[in-house]
Amino acid sequence: MKIQFVEKEIPEGEVEVTVAAAEKNQQVAKVIASLTALEKESPKVLSFKTADGIQLVRMADVIYVDVSKTELLIYTTKDLLVTKGTLTQLLARMKNGNFVQVSKHAAVNIAHLERLENSFSGSMLARN
């Protein structure tokens, strides 16, 4: 098996994989199945570009995410990270069913949720 990397202009965050062989055989099918399974797997750690450099964050440590103007605020059990991007892009990168988008600008990690309460305005208040 020959593996090579080719630099190519594609949208940021995307990866394009081409499997080439003389014919589609069992080995090719196995490689494609492995890549498909890998794509569906949610990452354990994501990297974010911040003012301090590249920060690595465990997805299990993220409590919630909020958007403020052009900044993406990532609240973790230890820190607040400020980066650029959209909530839609981040949720797509996370591929994690524990994150529920609760408004146009926020998503909550339900693994950190202890209870929901009614608020005076008629909406729900999440407590961790």
Side-chain angles (χ1 to χ4, degrees), residues 44-120:
K44 305 283 186 249
V45 176
L46 282 182
S47 61
F48 298 98
K49 186 175 182 181
T50 67
D52 298 328
I54 303 295
Q55 300 275 335
L56 298 178
V57 178
R58 288 177 5 118
M59 288 296 88
D61 292 341
V62 177
I63 298 170
Y64 76 97
V65 181
D66 196 13
V67 177
S68 178
K69 297 180 183 174
T70 61
E71 294 181 330
L72 197 54
L73 309 173
I74 302 161
Y75 293 85
T76 71
T77 55
K78 301 172 187 154
D79 223 349
L80 165 63
L81 299 175
V82 180
T83 188
K84 301 285 185 199
T86 68
L87 185 59
T88 304
Q89 290 170 335
L90 178 60
L91 291 174
R93 278 181 66 202
M94 292 169 119
K95 298 180 197 169
N96 190 317
N98 283 348
F99 287 86
V100 177
Q101 187 168 349
V102 294
S103 70
K104 286 195 291 188
H105 63 85
V108 175
N109 183 346
I110 59 174
H112 286 277
L113 197 60
E114 288 183 12
R115 67 181 187 274
L116 292 172
E117 300 174 355
N118 288 324
S119 71
F120 292 112

Side-chain angles (χ1 to χ4, degrees), residues 1-6 17-22 27-28 31 35:
M1 182 182 305
K2 176 182 170 187
I3 299 173
Q4 66 179 9
F5 171 76
V6 177
V17 177
T18 303
V19 179
Q27 184 181 19
V28 170
V31 169
L35 290 170

